[in-house]
Amino acid sequence: MPVTKVIEVIGSSADGADAAVREAVTSAGRSIRGISHVEVVSVTCDVEEGQIARWNALVKIAFPVEPR
């Protein structure tokens, strides 16, 4: 039976929440093979001078544990 590992990462973008999620998945994909599922846990924003400066997306990323 396959085993799945889940990690949490935060992606950030000045272009919106969707871009922050995509950044998290793209960055994680550079060192993780086989990403199979992404769950958005929360989205927050950094505010500067009363304006949203950056979106931050906390996501859970699932991928298979490879057999040895």
Side-chain angles (χ1 to χ4, degrees), residues 4-68:
T4 301
K5 182 170 179 95
V6 177
I7 62 168
E8 290 184 338
V9 298
I10 299 173
S12 296
S13 175
D15 297 325
D18 182 67
V21 172
R22 291 178 187 281
E23 178 60 29
V25 175
T26 299
S27 293
R30 290 186 190 117
S31 61
I32 297 171
R33 288 191 297 270
I35 294 174
S36 59
H37 182 79
V38 176
E39 176 185 349
V40 178
V41 177
S42 68
V43 175
T44 60
C45 300
D46 297 330
V47 177
E48 295 174 2
E49 299 179 12
Q51 300 291 319
I52 294 174
R54 181 159 296 284
W55 295 79
N56 305 299
L58 172 62
V59 299
K60 290 184 179 181
I61 295 180
F63 55 96
V65 174
E66 296 180 355
R68 292 182 178 236

